Amino acid sequence: MKMIGLIGGMSWESTAEYYRLVNELTRDRLGGLHSARCVLYSVDFAEIEQLQVQGLWAEAGEVLAAAARSLEAAGADLVLICTNTMHKVADVVGAAVSIPLLHLADATAEAVRAAGLRRVGLLGTAFTMEQDFYRGRLEAGGLDICVPDSDGRALVHRVIYEELCLGIVREESRTAYREVIRDLVAAGAEGIILGCTEIELLIGPEDSPVPVFPTARLHAEAAVNAALQGVWNGDPAAPSSR
């Protein structure tokens, strides 16, 4: 199995989910006591959040690029940025290493297309919902993206930073998110992208009348698929790297 490099800590609440997912998915694929070969670099999110607020994306990119270089030096064969928002600096991070960077938006767009959908609602931080670095990547992947209105965007963003990133899950916030989702569906959304990894701590399939696409899980699945490519899983018909 190839080694998965995780750039996490943004927030650690969702990074813990990434760690759980890559290990569960590996065990499901290989069985027994198997777990993922992975290495984690966890940044201090307070520092990154301040750079976000100040618009110092180049500086934030250098922090994550340094993390990626450390992961490569530690033996990682591929790297993931374990947050949607910081894919704003994905090109900088990818250019800093010689190993592949698995882009979260690509894994998400592939899952939406595989479901036969095109027009989808996007929930995330204000950066993710309003800027082109993420929406544009999804649209380049053949999707038609719609986002909440200004009040909806503000609510979704606030709950992420003031609650979910702190491990706070409130029923009233789940109710408010459900209302935002219903508005997106009324506007023609055939599915909902949970475009912030923390949102998966609050919203699941049961909270939406249309399919939801949990980006952390989709990203973790893409990582495990890449890491296990060619690895024998006990099936005599499966490919083997041995």
Side-chain angles (χ1 to χ4, degrees), residues 133-155:
F133 71 91
Y134 194 85
R135 289 180 58 177
R137 186 97 175 196
L138 293 171
E139 289 166 351
L143 306 186
D144 180 13
I145 303 299
C146 57
V147 298
D149 61 19
S150 58
D151 289 343
R153 295 197 303 273
L155 180 143

Side-chain angles (χ1 to χ4, degrees), residues 104-188:
L104 199 158
D106 294 343
T108 301
E110 182 178 350
V112 174
R113 290 194 304 269
L117 307 181
R118 182 173 180 273
R119 181 167 174 79
V120 286
L122 173 63
L123 302 181
T125 66
F127 308 110
T128 299
M129 291 186 289
E130 296 172 359
Q131 298 182 20
D132 188 59
F133 71 91
Y134 194 85
R135 289 180 58 177
R137 186 97 175 196
L138 293 171
E139 289 166 351
L143 306 186
D144 180 13
I145 303 299
C146 57
V147 298
D149 61 19
S150 58
D151 289 343
R153 295 197 303 273
L155 180 143
V156 170
H157 181 90
R158 180 190 63 76
V159 169
I160 291 168
Y161 279 94
E162 295 182 10
E163 298 177 19
L164 301 178
C165 286
L166 299 174
I168 300 169
V169 178
R170 292 191 169 123
E171 190 59 36
E172 55 266 38
S173 296
R174 179 177 289 112
T175 298
Y177 266 53
R178 287 170 175 166
E179 293 177 0
V180 171
I181 290 171
R182 283 196 294 269
D183 289 343
L184 289 171
V185 173

Side-chain angles (χ1 to χ4, degrees), residues 63-106:
V63 174
L64 267 60
R69 287 191 289 267
S70 294
L71 291 172
E72 183 174 26
D77 298 298
L78 53 104
V79 63
L80 282 69
I81 302 172
C82 299
T83 162
N84 288 268
T85 299
M86 291 310 295
H87 276 72
K88 184 174 175 70
V89 298
D91 289 345
V92 173
V93 176
V97 291
S98 60
I99 56 178
L101 182 146
L102 299 187
H103 200 290
L104 199 158
D106 294 343

Side-chain angles (χ1 to χ4, degrees), residues 22-57:
V22 296
N23 281 290
E24 285 185 352
L25 291 164
T26 300
R27 181 192 61 200
D28 291 346
R29 288 277 296 276
L30 299 181
L33 296 176
H34 283 289
S35 55
R37 296 184 66 237
C38 62
V39 57
L40 167 65
Y41 190 113
S42 189
V43 304
D44 181 354
F45 189 32
E47 297 175 1
I48 297 296
E49 190 269 343
Q50 283 301 303
L51 295 174
Q52 291 176 343
V53 170
Q54 296 170 37
L56 299 176
W57 294 100

